[in-house]
Amino acid sequence: MRYLRRWFHLRSKPIPVLNSFEAYTRWAATYPPHAHNALMRAEEAAFIALLPALNGRTVLDLACGSGRYAEIALARGAAHAIGIDNSPHMLAQAQFRNRILATVSPIPLAPRSIDVVLCGLALGHVPDLDTAFAEIARVLVAGGAALVSDVHPFLFLGGAQRTFTVDGQTLAVEHHVHLYADYQRAASHAGLQIDRILEPRLLPEDAQAGLSAPVAIVYRMTKP
């Protein structure tokens, strides 16, 4: 499975596991602000398919990393894109203007200040979904939307790890497996309604990677 070389690894021998802050400190210098492997390309295509209209809206890219979804939001007409991440090294890689060093909980923004929250492939680093979704719901306006993606739990339940290579060393990022039921419960408790789910497989151009199961899961939810 060649696509696993950079981002995922089927465990054959122990790999050092870092918490997400340590991992992205090491990874940031080579982490570009665009989809750079097969899994991310599949995830991004599904994510974009669920995006609401962004023209003139205020968008939060939560756990933005190097700013992939903030850049996409601005390209699609968002009036403002705000990025929040807890890694100063990842934020330094981002090119858009409004960046805040913070965690997903608490979110340092006013209640009902955001039209759309985007959170790509990040909540697997968080052990507790409840507090994250409570904060997402708090900052969303009534009628607002949130899109959240995660690595598909099938991969991790099948023995994969989220990996990267720095200076010739392969390292793994800590990841918490959250099932659909976990997301549904946390969203419901926060007052959010999941209205669409996509489970993308690899794109045709990446099909030679040899994996037929879904590699990501994308949730779209609304705040009534």
Side-chain angles (χ1 to χ4, degrees), residues 68-86:
R68 176 167 60 122
Y69 281 120
E71 295 286 2
I72 288 172
L74 290 168
R76 288 174 168 262
H80 305 284
I82 301 165
I84 288 177
D85 200 272
N86 72 334

Side-chain angles (χ1 to χ4, degrees), residues 88-110:
H89 302 280
M90 290 293 282
L91 284 177
Q93 297 293 99
Q95 301 299 310
F96 64 98
R97 182 181 302 176
N98 298 317
R99 292 169 283 172
I100 300 172
L101 182 64
T103 64
V104 300
S105 180
I107 296 173
L109 297 174

Side-chain angles (χ1 to χ4, degrees), residues 184-201:
Q184 195 279 331
R185 176 191 50 76
S188 178
H189 285 179
L192 300 172
Q193 298 177 351
I194 296 174
D195 67 358
R196 286 286 306 278
I197 300 171
L198 292 179
E199 297 177 279
R201 292 170 169 80

